[in-house]
Amino acid sequence: MTQFILHQYDLSPFCEKVRLAFGLKGLDWHAVEVPVWPPKPDLMPLTNGYRMAPVLQIGADIYCDTMLILRAIERRAPLPSLYPGGQRALAEVLGWWWERASFVPAASLATCVIGDQLPPAFIEERKTFMAHDFSREASLQDRALNLQRMHAHLAWLAGMLGDGRAFLLGDAPSAADLAAYHTLWFARQHGGAEVEAALPLAPLDGWMARVAALGHGRRRDMPAAEALDIARAAEPEPPASPDGDPSGLRAGQAVVVRAEERGRDPIHGTLVGADAEEAVIRHENARVGAVHIHVPRAGFAVQAA
């Protein structure tokens, strides 16, 4: 049986997305708690620079970004599907739109309420890493604009559910529901009544309750040291496409990988496989041995070092 190890923290909306995927599939999984902001001394040996949460570990294979994490879970536990009716492309496109349109506005509406309760070190770190100020003062200055943004996108979301369907793609929950839900979960969780009053969430209440009811599967906490030992004892899987990179990169080349939105912490390693959807980079160090770091092509730039 596949051992899913999620390096995560409970506050993160993106981690909530993956926790709900485990719930949808009724899976057992292990949680390794990582710090909310750097340093992250027990994550860096696995990712060689990638610092965003969550990260999924399966043996010595390390998956970055929730889009790719959900694909990795689906391959190993296909039923019930995250992409019912073969609608993976549609589910991923909807998730791509919603997360990029809603995350910062929704989080900023929450920090209009709780921004002065956040540690100053966290605020300063996010200014550097995300080029965004989540302090309460800055969030309140942008509140009107973020309300406009959220109302516009929420109208589309409500319209998709307007025919009475239970979930965004029909009768069954999908990855699209998890992507649309998690930023609203964060805003509601931390913005409370003020966010409820400011956003038109009533048409979405039933849908949000159905997504929340998926739960988180069966979680067990795991010490970080144990997860690193598991990686060191395992062998990474061979890539499916050693030389399928559409830009001409080939296995064996030294590469640098950057998240295009927040590329300040690049991954360095050796390309071992790639295709139009995924790139796999080999990395070695004393704590974990050899691991394969998987990144999606959408949203990531892979270039010769």
Side-chain angles (χ1 to χ4, degrees):
M1 177 179 290
T2 301
Q3 185 180 42
F4 297 105
I5 303 170
L6 191 68
H7 298 259
Q8 64 106 54
Y9 57 92
D10 289 344
L11 179 69
S12 165
F14 290 94
C15 296
E16 176 69 3
K17 177 182 175 182
V18 180
R19 293 189 293 258
L20 287 166
F22 290 135
L24 186 154
K25 291 179 174 291
L27 292 173
D28 295 296
W29 60 285
H30 296 273
V32 175
E33 198 72 6
V34 299
V36 177
W37 67 90
K40 300 187 178 187
D42 295 317
L43 183 64
M44 292 300 102
L46 293 170
T47 64
N48 198 29
Y50 181 85
R51 45 150 295 181
M52 290 182 275
V55 166
L56 178 68
Q57 176 188 348
I58 301 174
D61 284 272
I62 312 302
Y63 296 87
C64 304
D65 190 87
T66 57
M67 180 185 291
L68 191 57
I69 287 171
L70 263 56
R71 289 182 204 158
I73 294 170
E74 179 82 358
R75 281 199 300 272
R76 292 162 175 82
L79 295 175
S81 180
L82 288 163
Y83 316 105
Q87 300 183 92
R88 197 193 90 183
L90 179 57
E92 290 187 341
V93 167
L94 287 173
W96 179 274
W97 150 63
W98 179 262
E99 290 175 356
R100 278 153 183 76
S102 74
F103 171 66
V104 169
S108 297
L109 290 175
T111 52
C112 284
V113 182
I114 64 165
D116 56 355
Q117 302 168 34
L118 298 172
F122 171 81
I123 298 291
E124 291 303 314
E125 186 275 336
R126 286 304 193 259
K127 285 181 186 177
T128 300
F129 180 60
M130 297 181 66
H132 188 84
D133 187 347
F134 284 106
S135 67
R136 186 168 188 266
E137 180 182 8
S139 298
L140 286 170
Q141 287 176 356
D142 290 339
R143 185 174 183 272
L145 286 175
N146 285 324
L147 284 173
Q148 292 173 28
R149 293 165 179 147
M150 288 301 296
H151 276 247
H153 293 290
L154 283 167
W156 281 341
L157 200 63
M160 294 175 66
L161 296 163
D163 61 2
R165 64 182 63 193
F167 297 99
L168 293 177
L169 298 187
D171 294 332
S174 73
D177 296 285
L178 310 189
Y181 172 87
H182 71 87
T183 57
L184 297 178
W185 166 83
F186 183 86
R188 267 184 158 172
Q189 185 93 344
H190 301 288
E194 187 170 322
V195 166
E196 290 279 353
L199 294 178
L201 296 176
L204 305 176
D205 280 343
W207 165 75
M208 289 192 72
R210 288 188 288 275
V211 176
L214 297 172
H216 294 160
R218 293 172 294 276
R219 168 180 173 165
R220 296 179 179 87
D221 291 337
M222 175 182 282
E226 183 177 343
L228 298 187
D229 288 345
I230 289 169
R232 190 168 60 249
E235 288 291 331
E237 294 181 352
S241 304
D243 285 315
D245 179 74
S247 68
L249 294 172
R250 290 295 177 260
Q253 281 188 260
V255 294
V256 58
V257 183
R258 292 181 175 87
E260 291 178 344
E261 285 189 310
R262 304 178 188 99
R264 297 171 182 83
D265 297 294
I267 303 167
H268 295 269
T270 302
L271 188 71
V272 293
D275 57 24
E277 293 192 329
E278 179 179 342
V280 187
I281 297 91
R282 183 180 178 90
H283 157 65
E284 297 185 41
N285 70 40
R287 292 190 70 188
V288 300
V291 297
H292 282 178
I293 304 167
H294 301 248
V295 297
R297 303 315 293 268
F300 283 75
V302 182
Q303 297 173 300

